[in-house]
Amino acid sequence: MSFRTTTDVAYVEDVSPGSGALAPRAWYASSDARSLSLNGSWRFRLSATADAEDDSFAEEGYDAGGWAEIAVPGHWVLQGDGAFGSPAYTNHLYPFPVDPPRVPTENPTGDHLRVFDLPADWPGPDEGGALLRFDGVESCARVWLNGTDIGEFKGSRIPHEFAVGHLLRPTGNVLAVRVHQWSAGSYLEDQDQWWLPGIFRDVTLLHRPAGGVLDFFVHASYDHLTGAGTLRVDSDVDGRVVVPALDIDVGTGCPVTVPVRPWTAETPALYDGELVTGGERVPLRIGFRTVELTDGLIKVNGRPVLFKGVNRHEWHPEKGRALDLETMRADVLLMKRHNVNAVRTSHYPPHPAFLDLCDEYGLWVIDECDLETHGFVEQDWRDNPVDDDRWTPALLDRAARMVERDKNHPSVVIWSLGNEAGTGRGLTAMAEWIHGRDTSRLVHYEGDIDCRDTDVYSRMYASHDEVERIGQGQDGGTHRRRALPFILCEYAHAMGNGPGGLADYQRIFEAHERLQGAFVWEWIDHGIKHPELGHAYGGDFGEELHDGNFVCDGLLLPDRTPSPGLAEFKKVIEPVALTAGDDGTLRVTNKQDFAGLSALAFTWAFRVDGETVGSGDLEVPALAAGESADVKLPPPVLAPAGAETGWTVRAVLAEDTAWADRGHVVAWGQVPVSARTSPAVTPTAAPVAGERVVTLGPARFDARTGALLGIGRVDVTGLRLDVWRAPTDNDDGAPWQSDVRFGVLWRELGLHRMRHRLDAVEVGDGALTVRSRVAPAAREVGLSTVYRWVSDGDRVQLTVSVTPEGDWTVPLPRLGIRFGLSAADRVSWFGGGPGEAYPDSRTASELGRWLSTVDALQTPYVRPQENGARADVRWAELGGLRVEGAPAFWFSARRWTTEQLDAARHLTDLVPGETVWVNLDHGQHGLGSQSCGPGPLPRHFLDVAPAQFSFVFSPID
């Protein structure tokens, strides 16, 4: 027994990866060898420092009956109702002094204890050994089994195994693990996420039978010219490889070539096989595919691929990074159902079961090493570990543990060295090792701007214009870089309402072969479920240093509800384009890289003023990837004069698949036939002036101010010009991205506190006219505004004319009118829907008739902000009013004012009032993704200019 009674914690600040762990090897979920999960309830003790307690807790017979209990996998700061500390979020700043490899004395340290018995039928010591595997521990762990110190390790999101067969006994095994929150390894794990210590992935005991599999490498290539696959399985232990469906039964190390169906993300063909040695049978799931860099392009099976991807941190709003299989499966299914075809595992290897799911369902994967040293940017990368030879063994260990663990997954097509770690010799050493170990994949690293060590030119958040120049080969750079394909490993920052500009990017990607796609940042908001705040973000746990809600920047809300941004992304990247062809035809384009259209069925619907009056199936040829055809549509249905008509065509799954049921909508398009007649009121009713009230048809106005009081039996309050919206995260922007941050400029100008001056109320023979000036305090700019009301007796029409005054230097957030209704719940409309849309995020807005409640119109972003606008609305009905637009308008309604929305920091701050506030907007400013990326394109600006727009109001039952 090598039990220590002193507390030696020098290993915490050692730059080495650790000691005692075995060499990395391939991961597999199961075999016929025995295994024992040690997940479950563990005894737990938290100390404030690394050396507060000695090691006696690891001794057999130690009484831990007074300790708390926590779940493993889990993070201790997310358990115990705050008794074990709190989460902390920083984007890139280290939450401790930067003095590598030193860490603070205040170093929360969790001692974990698990006592376990071996199953009665567990093989004896003469039948082989055993391994103890940890799949993920943050950030440094020391391990004892039955009082024996077996080693320590760093590398939070990579596996570590220890040989323990000689230490096991049938009953009463004592597994003790001391976990330190901070270590030298923390300097390599600055990955824009919550700092969450603990044993957060599986702990497993594995029996290793004599003659069992040690390590193996499945090489399964595909020749697209012959249709043949070549399989060779290299193994540290001789055995045989059996693949019944391919009639393969060969020895390890022996290549065999047979006809196969290739694996792609679109057609994820897997063959079940086995690796059989003298002591073990290991299941194999083999996908044949070849990844090459040829002709300056990333090609799989001889064809270029276009990544339509997302970055994915592992996240659960209650469990943090301790994900179960069903949560991982839910992510993959949501991706497939939203046309996502690729994942970058930002910024570490995921739980290995996630890659099994990617193999099974079909997703391209960029597998990223557990490495980021972003905080060193604050000191101009001085002392950066990746350029310090002392740290190179740790970097190589992390690279090897990623590659060896994940090398048998066909979904993994690119290895990534890490993220935002500057440049240095350590990265070069990692690239050289990976290239030498695995020639079947490419190597990626965004920080390698000259592409010295990498096979792909990669960037983050490049603007549309720059991406266009790169696609045209006009970006310059080294000769090597100019010959390489380009991807945006991060773009379209999905923080809050947004991202905008996805469709503009996609058009550029599809126009230039060199541009091979991009990965949205990111998949899910990292909000932590909170009893008082709904979902908490940075700063909500009293952190002295934090980056606020920058941790909530995903296409899913924290509870995995898809955001409008994900609906937009699905539409933008849909694999079939359905657009208007010539002479009343539909142009169908198969935008897939490999698959034909045989898996899809097509339907048509003909709509009159948004209502379906005819529908049926549409015959579309089974186009091969990249092909197009014009398809004849049925004759249009006769419609009344002035009606708006058009076709809606959908591509749906023809049969059930592993990831969605028959009828799931994969793509859709709309082809207009006739345009609507714009509504107009012929003035036939004259305003009637009373002492206090002016009546005009169904409308009532305040005689002194001209303010609208009601229409029919509907009371209306506060109707006036509105230019303010609660700034989105993208409106407020990131200070490092641009000096032009519109949310900041709007607030500086005072657009959130506009003043309304009444200049005149004019009661004429045919109209009521109200003249006003709308302007911010302390500024000379303003908007001269005229409201002109006319009526035909049953309806009333408002025409708003806006003339800018002064030198406006910024666009407006919005331009329209706002008013309050005393009662409204259900809303119906003819226009864009069903979800929200904005000028540069409206591709998914489908023209039709929609129904909702006022509450369901809202998008519950973790930090409240402008949301819920519906685009291209022809008419809307709510609260006893019908509103028609001339032209179509943007519509939103909510139970709080814009000012209340602006002031809220969490959803629980928003308390519904008795008034429903309605916005009818002539224009909205674009969204962009300037919370980290570029702002909206100029053509999506709401520039200040003379404007006139009109609404027709009528009371309804």
Side-chain angles (χ1 to χ4, degrees):
M1 183 179 295
S2 59
F3 173 73
R4 301 185 328 247
T5 56
T6 60
T7 304
D8 177 11
V9 294
Y11 63 89
V12 173
E13 296 181 338
D14 191 330
V15 299
S16 75
S19 64
L22 299 174
R25 65 190 185 104
W27 185 92
Y28 49 94
S30 63
S31 75
D32 64 344
R34 293 299 306 274
S35 67
L36 176 66
S37 172
L38 298 179
N39 296 346
S41 180
W42 290 49
R43 290 290 182 175
F44 178 74
R45 175 182 66 186
L46 181 65
S47 304
T49 65
D51 58 357
E53 302 285 350
D54 64 23
D55 304 340
S56 60
F57 82 103
E59 188 175 3
E60 298 172 75
Y62 182 88
D63 183 7
W67 288 20
E69 292 189 40
I70 64 169
V72 172
H75 305 278
W76 69 68
V77 294
L78 295 181
Q79 304 183 63
D81 294 325
F84 306 137
S86 300
Y89 166 63
T90 59
N91 167 27
H92 74 277
L93 298 173
Y94 289 107
F96 47 79
V98 181
D99 183 23
R102 305 297 301 279
V103 295
T105 299
E106 297 87 354
N107 188 356
T109 295
D111 290 332
H112 299 67
L113 270 180
R114 173 72 190 265
V115 179
F116 65 94
D117 299 335
L118 295 178
D121 58 350
W122 188 268
D126 58 341
E127 298 178 78
L131 301 180
L132 178 64
R133 183 174 71 209
F134 295 87
D135 281 313
V137 183
E138 183 174 330
S139 75
C140 172
R142 192 167 200 108
V143 186
W144 296 262
L145 181 61
N146 293 328
T148 297
D149 179 356
I150 60 175
E152 84 284 339
F153 61 89
K154 308 176 191 75
S156 297
R157 285 157 280 275
I158 45 182
H160 296 84
E161 293 182 327
F162 297 88
V164 296
H166 60 294
L167 300 175
L168 291 173
R169 58 194 59 173
T171 61
N173 292 282
V174 178
L175 176 58
V177 185
R178 172 163 284 170
V179 180
H180 308 281
Q181 174 158 20
W182 309 123
S183 70
S186 301
Y187 285 99
L188 305 180
E189 297 173 3
D190 188 22
Q191 290 142 324
D192 184 11
Q193 59 184 337
W194 294 96
W195 298 90
L196 299 174
I199 305 172
F200 67 95
R201 287 185 185 159
D202 306 292
V203 183
T204 311
L205 185 68
L206 302 166
H207 178 244
R208 303 314 302 142
V213 174
L214 297 179
D215 188 23
F216 64 97
F217 197 161
V218 176
H219 304 274
S221 61
Y222 178 73
D223 186 334
H224 66 281
L225 297 177
T226 65
T230 298
L231 175 66
R232 187 186 82 245
V233 178
D234 296 331
S235 173
D236 289 357
V237 176
D238 289 341
R240 299 199 67 77
V241 177
V242 180
V243 187
L246 297 176
D247 198 25
I248 292 175
D249 185 347
V250 297
T252 53
C254 299
V256 57
T257 300
V258 294
V260 298
R261 291 177 292 118
W263 189 98
T264 74
E266 296 167 5
T267 57
L270 291 173
Y271 292 91
D272 292 327
E274 275 192 324
L275 169 58
V276 182
T277 68
E280 189 175 11
R281 305 176 74 95
V282 176
L284 303 177
R285 301 197 79 188
I286 302 163
F288 291 87
R289 56 103 186 98
T290 296
V291 183
E292 296 175 303
L293 179 64
T294 58
D295 304 320
L297 298 173
I298 303 167
K299 292 185 179 181
V300 179
N301 302 336
R303 298 181 65 91
V305 296
L306 183 62
F307 296 122
K308 303 169 183 177
V310 295
N311 285 271
R312 176 186 175 270
H313 267 299
E314 294 183 304
W315 188 250
H316 187 282
E318 297 173 80
K319 301 176 183 177
R321 287 187 286 277
L323 297 191
D324 58 83
L325 180 62
E326 288 314 304
T327 299
M328 291 184 268
R329 190 185 306 276
D331 279 345
V332 171
L333 293 178
L334 278 170
M335 290 175 189
K336 293 294 291 186
R337 291 168 186 168
H338 288 85
N339 296 330
V340 172
N341 73 358
V343 178
R344 176 180 176 228
T345 68
S346 53
H347 296 295
Y348 42 82
H351 190 291
F354 178 77
L355 297 179
D356 283 343
L357 296 170
C358 294
D359 294 342
E360 178 182 350
Y361 292 101
L363 289 167
W364 308 117
V365 175
I366 297 180
D367 197 357
E368 193 147 87
C369 192
D370 189 12
L371 173 63
E372 180 169 337
T373 65
H374 199 174
F376 285 90
V377 71
E378 295 295 317
Q379 54 199 60
D380 296 325
W381 299 104
R382 186 173 60 256
D383 298 327
N384 185 5
V386 305
D387 199 29
D388 184 334
D389 291 339
R390 295 175 301 165
W391 294 80
T392 298
L395 303 182
L396 290 172
D397 181 74
R398 289 171 183 248
R401 291 186 183 277
M402 171 184 69
V403 170
E404 302 295 3
R405 190 196 77 169
D406 298 342
K407 59 182 177 263
N408 295 325
H409 290 283
S411 58
V412 177
V413 292
I414 298 176
W415 302 115
S416 178
L417 303 181
N419 184 69
E420 293 177 314
T423 58
R425 292 164 288 176
L427 290 164
T428 297
M430 293 169 68
E432 290 176 348
W433 184 89
I434 293 174
H435 276 123
R437 175 60 176 147
D438 181 16
T439 60
S440 69
R441 295 176 175 95
L442 308 183
V443 172
H444 163 277
Y445 176 62
E446 178 267 343
D448 185 8
I449 194 68
D450 292 328
C451 302
R452 182 184 63 180
D453 300 320
T454 56
D455 303 308
V456 181
Y457 177 29
S458 176
R459 291 281 303 282
M460 296 180 181
Y461 305 109
S463 69
H464 297 80
D465 287 346
E466 184 176 6
V467 173
E468 181 90 59
R469 291 195 299 273
I470 293 170
Q472 295 169 344
Q474 299 177 1
D475 54 305
T478 63
H479 177 77
R480 172 172 169 77
R481 191 180 87 182
R482 294 198 305 273
L484 292 179
F486 176 81
I487 64 169
L488 277 170
C489 66
E490 293 180 22
Y491 87 127
H493 198 249
M495 185 175 177
N497 189 346
L502 285 168
D504 300 297
Y505 271 118
Q506 197 66 24
R507 281 190 289 270
I508 300 170
F509 298 153
E510 294 175 2
H512 303 287
E513 193 176 46
R514 184 189 185 193
L515 307 179
Q516 294 201 249
F519 295 77
V520 171
W521 184 268
E522 64 160 308
W523 178 237
I524 188 169
D525 287 346
H526 299 192
I528 293 177
K529 190 174 181 179
H530 192 282
E532 298 172 0
L533 303 176
H535 286 102
Y537 50 77
D540 288 334
F541 297 97
E543 305 102 301
E544 63 181 10
L545 190 67
H546 66 85
D547 286 289
N549 70 310
F550 200 71
V551 76
C552 294
D553 46 11
L555 293 169
L556 299 182
L557 302 179
D559 63 0
R560 282 183 162 71
T561 299
S563 75
L566 183 55
E568 177 76 0
F569 192 45
K570 175 185 178 181
K571 174 62 178 167
V572 166
I573 62 174
E574 61 188 7
V576 182
L578 303 168
T579 56
D582 297 329
D583 301 323
T585 62
L586 176 77
R587 170 60 61 92
V588 180
T589 302
N590 182 355
K591 299 169 76 172
Q592 297 179 101
D593 295 324
F594 299 92
L597 297 186
S598 59
L600 301 179
F602 294 79
T603 65
W604 63 267
F606 192 79
R607 292 176 176 174
V608 176
D609 287 337
E611 287 194 350
T612 298
V613 297
S615 62
D617 296 329
L618 189 66
E619 290 296 324
V620 173
L623 301 172
E627 290 185 343
S628 298
D630 287 335
V631 176
K632 190 69 175 177
L633 291 164
V637 178
L638 292 177
E644 183 169 7
T645 64
W647 304 95
T648 299
V649 181
R650 302 186 190 282
V652 303
L653 290 179
E655 303 292 343
D656 291 347
T657 70
W659 49 269
D661 293 338
R662 179 177 181 268
H664 168 78
V665 177
V666 172
W668 59 270
Q670 294 189 294
V671 178
V673 175
S674 63
R676 78 194 254 264
T677 299
S678 188
V681 168
T682 301
T684 57
V688 178
E691 181 178 349
R692 295 185 177 181
V693 175
V694 174
T695 59
L696 177 61
R700 309 182 308 279
F701 302 86
D702 185 291
R704 183 180 64 85
T705 65
L708 177 67
L709 302 175
I711 298 174
R713 291 176 293 179
V714 179
D715 293 333
V716 179
T717 184
L719 188 149
R720 64 185 187 181
L721 189 79
D722 192 14
V723 300
W724 180 243
R725 73 185 188 194
T728 68
D729 293 310
N730 290 308
D731 288 338
D732 285 337
W736 62 82
Q737 187 58 253
S738 171
D739 293 334
V740 181
R741 298 158 59 202
F742 289 115
V744 175
L745 296 176
W746 292 337
R747 209 178 291 276
E748 288 177 352
L749 184 59
L751 299 187
H752 60 306
R753 47 178 174 77
M754 300 291 276
R755 298 292 181 259
H756 297 254
R757 186 184 74 205
L758 178 62
D759 289 339
V761 178
E762 302 168 356
V763 181
D765 292 339
L768 171 66
T769 303
V770 180
R771 303 183 186 278
S772 71
R773 187 175 189 270
V774 182
R779 306 290 181 177
E780 63 178 359
V781 297
L783 300 170
S784 175
T785 306
V786 178
Y787 309 87
R788 186 174 187 271
W789 297 88
V790 298
S791 177
D792 60 5
D794 298 319
R795 303 175 297 165
V796 62
Q797 181 169 5
L798 166 64
T799 300
V800 182
S801 302
V802 180
T803 304
E805 297 177 349
D807 184 16
W808 286 84
T809 58
V810 296
L812 295 174
R814 70 173 353 125
L815 179 65
I817 60 169
R818 180 178 76 170
F819 58 88
L821 298 176
S822 57
D825 183 25
R826 294 175 67 83
V827 181
S828 61
W829 73 98
F830 171 33
E836 74 181 23
Y838 289 84
D840 55 351
S841 183
R842 63 192 297 175
T843 311
S845 182
E846 178 184 341
L847 182 63
R849 289 204 187 187
W850 308 102
L851 182 67
S852 176
T853 63
V854 169
D855 293 337
L857 290 174
Q858 316 309 310
T859 302
Y861 295 113
V862 175
R863 185 191 74 81
Q865 56 198 270
E866 165 64 33
N867 73 90
R870 267 57 180 182
D872 303 314
V873 175
R874 277 68 166 151
W875 56 257
E877 294 180 349
L878 76 164
L881 276 185
R882 178 183 174 94
V883 184
E884 300 174 80
F889 55 96
W890 303 84
F891 169 82
S892 58
R894 53 180 66 99
R895 299 187 189 279
W896 36 77
T897 65
T898 299
E899 291 74 20
Q900 290 168 330
L901 183 63
D902 189 16
R905 291 296 169 261
H906 294 88
L907 289 171
T908 51
D909 296 334
L910 293 170
V911 180
E914 296 182 356
T915 301
V916 171
W917 293 97
V918 179
N919 277 92
L920 311 176
D921 290 321
H922 177 61
Q924 281 266 1
H925 188 68
L927 298 173
S929 63
Q930 202 175 2
S931 51
C932 190
L937 290 172
R939 64 188 182 89
H940 300 304
F941 288 9
L942 181 56
D943 290 321
V944 181
Q948 185 176 91
F949 47 94
S950 184
F951 304 101
V952 176
F953 298 87
S954 54
I956 57 173
D957 293 333

